[in-house]
Amino acid sequence: MTYTAFSLHKKLVDEEGYDPQTDEYYSEINKRIRLEFPHKFGKVEQQTTAKPTQVVASASRSSKPGRKIVKLTPSQVAIAKKLGVPLEEYAKQLNITKE
């Protein structure tokens, strides 16, 4: 943390023009140290950077025909085995009747 404070001091004074004798300087050092080491302080501060926006697909997108997963209940599995029907075929017919 000490080296980070030295680095922040150099940046604030040399690059950003802060006066190290002012309360504003100490406030800025404190804020930036808390951002760098949030785990050292009890309260986590939110960073002031803007959050990226989420990009979503349009609502009019058509669904691609693909593989649909059908979960069979234990009773459905028992019925398919009793009838001697493969589970895939039973699930396929079950899906057709539901549509």
Side-chain angles (χ1 to χ4, degrees):
M1 285 178 67
T2 303
Y3 289 116
T4 302
F6 286 145
S7 172
L8 289 173
H9 166 78
K10 184 168 180 60
K11 185 174 183 178
L12 287 174
V13 173
D14 294 344
E15 296 175 17
E16 297 181 27
Y18 279 88
D19 180 12
Q21 303 298 322
T22 63
D23 289 338
E24 182 184 13
Y25 164 81
Y26 286 103
S27 173
E28 191 65 25
I29 283 281
N30 189 31
K31 182 180 89 173
R32 293 187 189 192
I33 286 289
R34 286 178 181 270
L35 287 174
E36 290 290 324
F37 300 97
H39 59 281
K40 296 284 189 177
F41 301 94
K43 182 179 168 187
V44 178
E45 292 185 21
Q46 295 291 329
Q47 291 187 357
T48 57
T49 59
K51 292 182 181 179
T53 57
Q54 182 179 8
V55 179
V56 296
S58 68
S60 63
R61 181 177 66 181
S62 63
S63 62
K64 295 179 184 177
R67 184 175 172 180
K68 294 181 181 179
I69 297 174
V70 177
K71 297 227 181 217
L72 298 176
T73 64
S75 62
Q76 290 171 330
V77 172
I79 292 171
K81 285 185 179 181
K82 192 170 190 176
L83 294 173
V85 178
L87 295 178
E88 291 176 359
E89 284 298 317
Y90 186 84
K92 189 185 300 181
Q93 292 302 319
L94 183 65
N95 196 23
I96 290 172
T97 59
K98 282 186 178 181
E99 291 177 355

